[in-house]
Amino acid sequence: MKDPISLTTDFVELYQEIRTCEACFLHKTRKNAVPGEGPQDAQVMFIGEAPGLNEDREGRPFVGRAGSFLEELIVAAGLKRSEVYICNVLKCRPPDNRDPLPVEINSCSDFVGRQIQLIDPFVIVTLGRHSMRRFFPDATISRIHGQPKTVEGRLIVPMYHPAAALHRGNLKATILDDFAKLPGFIDRVRSLRQGEEVLENSKTNPVLKPRQLDLFEE
Ligand code: SF4
């Protein structure tokens, strides 16, 4: 399968490893593994749960109804799909779209970690509880959705999965509200990063004081 965006060797190798991975049982039932897509210099990364029927067929993340809704949400947040990176915690479809098993998430975990490392995004939006648990293992999505936290120097924003809003109509307003806050979060992180750059460039100028870098911490 051809990747639409030109990739560095690191990414080509990573995608190749994912597509030939047999580390868990899901390799037996997949049509296509779904590594992820988007530019390698994306500032914002979305991590969902697992490929569904359409994604498995096409080898691309978020191409079904949930994908269309995610795209709407991305646009409403002032972004374009083509400028963000999108992937899932699992790269292969669980049969009948069942929930990912812990053993599968563990087997696939290194791939997501490498994607985060290579892209180095400012902001990661987790979509759904399985993705959220990578960063907040003891949290529940109903309590922390839409509330960002800084984890290892990155802003992590837990959100409901777009498919949840399609299945449970009462969640649609909640997910729309959460996404409406995203541009503000991104702007704050961008200005903090710019502050860090100014600080880095001004190390020879002691007049400039360090910026407050933990505005998202409680
Ligand atoms: S889900 Fe992940 S660990 Fe399992 S076979 Fe696919 S790529 Fe490998």
mmCIF file with all atom_site columns, all heavy atoms in Angstrom, residues 61-75:
data_model
loop_
_atom_site.group_PDB
_atom_site.id
_atom_site.type_symbol
_atom_site.label_atom_id
_atom_site.label_alt_id
_atom_site.label_comp_id
_atom_site.label_asym_id
_atom_site.label_entity_id
_atom_site.label_seq_id
_atom_site.pdbx_PDB_ins_code
_atom_site.Cartn_x
_atom_site.Cartn_y
_atom_site.Cartn_z
_atom_site.occupancy
_atom_site.B_iso_or_equiv
_atom_site.pdbx_formal_charge
_atom_site.auth_seq_id
_atom_site.auth_comp_id
_atom_site.auth_asym_id
_atom_site.auth_atom_id
_atom_site.pdbx_PDB_model_num
ATOM 1   N N   . PRO A 1 61 ? -6.510  5.169  8.799  1.00 0.00 ? 61 PRO A N   1
ATOM 2   C CA  . PRO A 1 61 ? -7.285  5.381  10.024 1.00 0.00 ? 61 PRO A CA  1
ATOM 3   C C   . PRO A 1 61 ? -8.472  6.309  9.790  1.00 0.00 ? 61 PRO A C   1
ATOM 4   O O   . PRO A 1 61 ? -8.414  7.209  8.941  1.00 0.00 ? 61 PRO A O   1
ATOM 5   C CB  . PRO A 1 61 ? -6.274  6.062  10.958 1.00 0.00 ? 61 PRO A CB  1
ATOM 6   C CG  . PRO A 1 61 ? -5.359  6.805  10.034 1.00 0.00 ? 61 PRO A CG  1
ATOM 7   C CD  . PRO A 1 61 ? -5.285  5.985  8.763  1.00 0.00 ? 61 PRO A CD  1
ATOM 8   N N   . PHE A 1 62 ? -9.543  6.097  10.543 1.00 0.00 ? 62 PHE A N   1
ATOM 9   C CA  . PHE A 1 62 ? -10.696 7.009  10.570 1.00 0.00 ? 62 PHE A CA  1
ATOM 10  C C   . PHE A 1 62 ? -11.210 7.360  9.171  1.00 0.00 ? 62 PHE A C   1
ATOM 11  O O   . PHE A 1 62 ? -11.168 8.512  8.758  1.00 0.00 ? 62 PHE A O   1
ATOM 12  C CB  . PHE A 1 62 ? -10.343 8.289  11.354 1.00 0.00 ? 62 PHE A CB  1
ATOM 13  C CG  . PHE A 1 62 ? -10.340 8.084  12.846 1.00 0.00 ? 62 PHE A CG  1
ATOM 14  C CD1 . PHE A 1 62 ? -9.181  7.728  13.507 1.00 0.00 ? 62 PHE A CD1 1
ATOM 15  C CD2 . PHE A 1 62 ? -11.511 8.225  13.577 1.00 0.00 ? 62 PHE A CD2 1
ATOM 16  C CE1 . PHE A 1 62 ? -9.176  7.517  14.884 1.00 0.00 ? 62 PHE A CE1 1
ATOM 17  C CE2 . PHE A 1 62 ? -11.517 8.016  14.955 1.00 0.00 ? 62 PHE A CE2 1
ATOM 18  C CZ  . PHE A 1 62 ? -10.337 7.662  15.607 1.00 0.00 ? 62 PHE A CZ  1
ATOM 19  N N   . VAL A 1 63 ? -11.676 6.340  8.449  1.00 0.00 ? 63 VAL A N   1
ATOM 20  C CA  . VAL A 1 63 ? -12.252 6.599  7.127  1.00 0.00 ? 63 VAL A CA  1
ATOM 21  C C   . VAL A 1 63 ? -13.766 6.344  7.082  1.00 0.00 ? 63 VAL A C   1
ATOM 22  O O   . VAL A 1 63 ? -14.398 6.662  6.095  1.00 0.00 ? 63 VAL A O   1
ATOM 23  C CB  . VAL A 1 63 ? -11.559 5.777  6.009  1.00 0.00 ? 63 VAL A CB  1
ATOM 24  C CG1 . VAL A 1 63 ? -10.165 6.259  5.774  1.00 0.00 ? 63 VAL A CG1 1
ATOM 25  C CG2 . VAL A 1 63 ? -11.592 4.294  6.314  1.00 0.00 ? 63 VAL A CG2 1
ATOM 26  N N   . GLY A 1 64 ? -14.343 5.786  8.147  1.00 0.00 ? 64 GLY A N   1
ATOM 27  C CA  . GLY A 1 64 ? -15.787 5.514  8.139  1.00 0.00 ? 64 GLY A CA  1
ATOM 28  C C   . GLY A 1 64 ? -16.573 6.722  8.645  1.00 0.00 ? 64 GLY A C   1
ATOM 29  O O   . GLY A 1 64 ? -16.123 7.865  8.556  1.00 0.00 ? 64 GLY A O   1
ATOM 30  N N   . ARG A 1 65 ? -17.744 6.440  9.227  1.00 0.00 ? 65 ARG A N   1
ATOM 31  C CA  . ARG A 1 65 ? -18.599 7.534  9.731  1.00 0.00 ? 65 ARG A CA  1
ATOM 32  C C   . ARG A 1 65 ? -17.913 8.280  10.872 1.00 0.00 ? 65 ARG A C   1
ATOM 33  O O   . ARG A 1 65 ? -17.975 9.502  10.954 1.00 0.00 ? 65 ARG A O   1
ATOM 34  C CB  . ARG A 1 65 ? -19.920 6.956  10.244 1.00 0.00 ? 65 ARG A CB  1
ATOM 35  C CG  . ARG A 1 65 ? -20.920 6.702  9.125  1.00 0.00 ? 65 ARG A CG  1
ATOM 36  C CD  . ARG A 1 65 ? -22.198 6.096  9.678  1.00 0.00 ? 65 ARG A CD  1
ATOM 37  N NE  . ARG A 1 65 ? -22.928 7.029  10.529 1.00 0.00 ? 65 ARG A NE  1
ATOM 38  C CZ  . ARG A 1 65 ? -23.516 6.698  11.687 1.00 0.00 ? 65 ARG A CZ  1
ATOM 39  N NH1 . ARG A 1 65 ? -23.451 5.469  12.134 1.00 0.00 ? 65 ARG A NH1 1
ATOM 40  N NH2 . ARG A 1 65 ? -24.171 7.598  12.393 1.00 0.00 ? 65 ARG A NH2 1
ATOM 41  N N   . ALA A 1 66 ? -17.256 7.527  11.735 1.00 0.00 ? 66 ALA A N   1
ATOM 42  C CA  . ALA A 1 66 ? -16.550 8.183  12.844 1.00 0.00 ? 66 ALA A CA  1
ATOM 43  C C   . ALA A 1 66 ? -15.428 9.066  12.295 1.00 0.00 ? 66 ALA A C   1
ATOM 44  O O   . ALA A 1 66 ? -15.130 10.131 12.840 1.00 0.00 ? 66 ALA A O   1
ATOM 45  C CB  . ALA A 1 66 ? -15.988 7.138  13.809 1.00 0.00 ? 66 ALA A CB  1
ATOM 46  N N   . GLY A 1 67 ? -14.837 8.614  11.179 1.00 0.00 ? 67 GLY A N   1
ATOM 47  C CA  . GLY A 1 67 ? -13.776 9.400  10.543 1.00 0.00 ? 67 GLY A CA  1
ATOM 48  C C   . GLY A 1 67 ? -14.312 10.717 9.992  1.00 0.00 ? 67 GLY A C   1
ATOM 49  O O   . GLY A 1 67 ? -13.679 11.765 10.134 1.00 0.00 ? 67 GLY A O   1
ATOM 50  N N   . SER A 1 68 ? -15.499 10.655 9.368  1.00 0.00 ? 68 SER A N   1
ATOM 51  C CA  . SER A 1 68 ? -16.113 11.892 8.840  1.00 0.00 ? 68 SER A CA  1
ATOM 52  C C   . SER A 1 68 ? -16.401 12.851 9.982  1.00 0.00 ? 68 SER A C   1
ATOM 53  O O   . SER A 1 68 ? -16.189 14.064 9.869  1.00 0.00 ? 68 SER A O   1
ATOM 54  C CB  . SER A 1 68 ? -17.427 11.603 8.127  1.00 0.00 ? 68 SER A CB  1
ATOM 55  O OG  . SER A 1 68 ? -17.206 10.697 7.105  1.00 0.00 ? 68 SER A OG  1
ATOM 56  N N   . PHE A 1 69 ? -16.904 12.289 11.096 1.00 0.00 ? 69 PHE A N   1
ATOM 57  C CA  . PHE A 1 69 ? -17.218 13.162 12.229 1.00 0.00 ? 69 PHE A CA  1
ATOM 58  C C   . PHE A 1 69 ? -15.931 13.750 12.817 1.00 0.00 ? 69 PHE A C   1
ATOM 59  O O   . PHE A 1 69 ? -15.868 14.937 13.152 1.00 0.00 ? 69 PHE A O   1
ATOM 60  C CB  . PHE A 1 69 ? -18.023 12.379 13.276 1.00 0.00 ? 69 PHE A CB  1
ATOM 61  C CG  . PHE A 1 69 ? -18.508 13.214 14.421 1.00 0.00 ? 69 PHE A CG  1
ATOM 62  C CD1 . PHE A 1 69 ? -18.988 14.506 14.216 1.00 0.00 ? 69 PHE A CD1 1
ATOM 63  C CD2 . PHE A 1 69 ? -18.483 12.728 15.720 1.00 0.00 ? 69 PHE A CD2 1
ATOM 64  C CE1 . PHE A 1 69 ? -19.432 15.298 15.283 1.00 0.00 ? 69 PHE A CE1 1
ATOM 65  C CE2 . PHE A 1 69 ? -18.922 13.495 16.786 1.00 0.00 ? 69 PHE A CE2 1
ATOM 66  C CZ  . PHE A 1 69 ? -19.397 14.781 16.570 1.00 0.00 ? 69 PHE A CZ  1
ATOM 67  N N   . LEU A 1 70 ? -14.884 12.907 12.906 1.00 0.00 ? 70 LEU A N   1
ATOM 68  C CA  . LEU A 1 70 ? -13.605 13.435 13.416 1.00 0.00 ? 70 LEU A CA  1
ATOM 69  C C   . LEU A 1 70 ? -13.117 14.572 12.528 1.00 0.00 ? 70 LEU A C   1
ATOM 70  O O   . LEU A 1 70 ? -12.647 15.600 13.021 1.00 0.00 ? 70 LEU A O   1
ATOM 71  C CB  . LEU A 1 70 ? -12.554 12.315 13.489 1.00 0.00 ? 70 LEU A CB  1
ATOM 72  C CG  . LEU A 1 70 ? -11.152 12.778 13.909 1.00 0.00 ? 70 LEU A CG  1
ATOM 73  C CD1 . LEU A 1 70 ? -11.153 13.358 15.327 1.00 0.00 ? 70 LEU A CD1 1
ATOM 74  C CD2 . LEU A 1 70 ? -10.136 11.626 13.830 1.00 0.00 ? 70 LEU A CD2 1
ATOM 75  N N   . GLU A 1 71 ? -13.256 14.386 11.233 1.00 0.00 ? 71 GLU A N   1
ATOM 76  C CA  . GLU A 1 71 ? -12.811 15.425 10.299 1.00 0.00 ? 71 GLU A CA  1
ATOM 77  C C   . GLU A 1 71 ? -13.580 16.732 10.536 1.00 0.00 ? 71 GLU A C   1
ATOM 78  O O   . GLU A 1 71 ? -13.005 17.809 10.540 1.00 0.00 ? 71 GLU A O   1
ATOM 79  C CB  . GLU A 1 71 ? -13.015 14.938 8.868  1.00 0.00 ? 71 GLU A CB  1
ATOM 80  C CG  . GLU A 1 71 ? -11.804 15.226 8.004  1.00 0.00 ? 71 GLU A CG  1
ATOM 81  C CD  . GLU A 1 71 ? -11.840 14.423 6.720  1.00 0.00 ? 71 GLU A CD  1
ATOM 82  O OE1 . GLU A 1 71 ? -11.787 13.185 6.810  1.00 0.00 ? 71 GLU A OE1 1
ATOM 83  O OE2 . GLU A 1 71 ? -11.931 15.046 5.654  1.00 0.00 ? 71 GLU A OE2 1
ATOM 84  N N   . GLU A 1 72 ? -14.894 16.607 10.760 1.00 0.00 ? 72 GLU A N   1
ATOM 85  C CA  . GLU A 1 72 ? -15.716 17.797 11.091 1.00 0.00 ? 72 GLU A CA  1
ATOM 86  C C   . GLU A 1 72 ? -15.193 18.476 12.346 1.00 0.00 ? 72 GLU A C   1
ATOM 87  O O   . GLU A 1 72 ? -15.093 19.705 12.413 1.00 0.00 ? 72 GLU A O   1
ATOM 88  C CB  . GLU A 1 72 ? -17.151 17.358 11.425 1.00 0.00 ? 72 GLU A CB  1
ATOM 89  C CG  . GLU A 1 72 ? -18.130 17.399 10.298 1.00 0.00 ? 72 GLU A CG  1
ATOM 90  C CD  . GLU A 1 72 ? -19.489 16.914 10.796 1.00 0.00 ? 72 GLU A CD  1
ATOM 91  O OE1 . GLU A 1 72 ? -20.005 17.419 11.804 1.00 0.00 ? 72 GLU A OE1 1
ATOM 92  O OE2 . GLU A 1 72 ? -20.010 15.971 10.169 1.00 0.00 ? 72 GLU A OE2 1
ATOM 93  N N   . LEU A 1 73 ? -14.862 17.656 13.344 1.00 0.00 ? 73 LEU A N   1
ATOM 94  C CA  . LEU A 1 73 ? -14.381 18.205 14.621 1.00 0.00 ? 73 LEU A CA  1
ATOM 95  C C   . LEU A 1 73 ? -13.033 18.897 14.434 1.00 0.00 ? 73 LEU A C   1
ATOM 96  O O   . LEU A 1 73 ? -12.778 19.960 15.009 1.00 0.00 ? 73 LEU A O   1
ATOM 97  C CB  . LEU A 1 73 ? -14.249 17.080 15.660 1.00 0.00 ? 73 LEU A CB  1
ATOM 98  C CG  . LEU A 1 73 ? -15.556 16.419 16.110 1.00 0.00 ? 73 LEU A CG  1
ATOM 99  C CD1 . LEU A 1 73 ? -15.283 15.117 16.856 1.00 0.00 ? 73 LEU A CD1 1
ATOM 100 C CD2 . LEU A 1 73 ? -16.348 17.375 17.008 1.00 0.00 ? 73 LEU A CD2 1
ATOM 101 N N   . ILE A 1 74 ? -12.180 18.284 13.615 1.00 0.00 ? 74 ILE A N   1
ATOM 102 C CA  . ILE A 1 74 ? -10.851 18.866 13.360 1.00 0.00 ? 74 ILE A CA  1
ATOM 103 C C   . ILE A 1 74 ? -11.007 20.228 12.679 1.00 0.00 ? 74 ILE A C   1
ATOM 104 O O   . ILE A 1 74 ? -10.361 21.208 13.060 1.00 0.00 ? 74 ILE A O   1
ATOM 105 C CB  . ILE A 1 74 ? -10.003 17.889 12.504 1.00 0.00 ? 74 ILE A CB  1
ATOM 106 C CG1 . ILE A 1 74 ? -9.575  16.686 13.361 1.00 0.00 ? 74 ILE A CG1 1
ATOM 107 C CG2 . ILE A 1 74 ? -8.784  18.583 11.910 1.00 0.00 ? 74 ILE A CG2 1
ATOM 108 C CD1 . ILE A 1 74 ? -8.907  15.566 12.579 1.00 0.00 ? 74 ILE A CD1 1
ATOM 109 N N   . VAL A 1 75 ? -11.904 20.280 11.693 1.00 0.00 ? 75 VAL A N   1
ATOM 110 C CA  . VAL A 1 75 ? -12.124 21.545 10.974 1.00 0.00 ? 75 VAL A CA  1
ATOM 111 C C   . VAL A 1 75 ? -12.731 22.588 11.919 1.00 0.00 ? 75 VAL A C   1
ATOM 112 O O   . VAL A 1 75 ? -12.322 23.754 11.937 1.00 0.00 ? 75 VAL A O   1
ATOM 113 C CB  . VAL A 1 75 ? -13.027 21.308 9.738  1.00 0.00 ? 75 VAL A CB  1
ATOM 114 C CG1 . VAL A 1 75 ? -13.457 22.625 9.107  1.00 0.00 ? 75 VAL A CG1 1
ATOM 115 C CG2 . VAL A 1 75 ? -12.285 20.448 8.713  1.00 0.00 ? 75 VAL A CG2 1
#
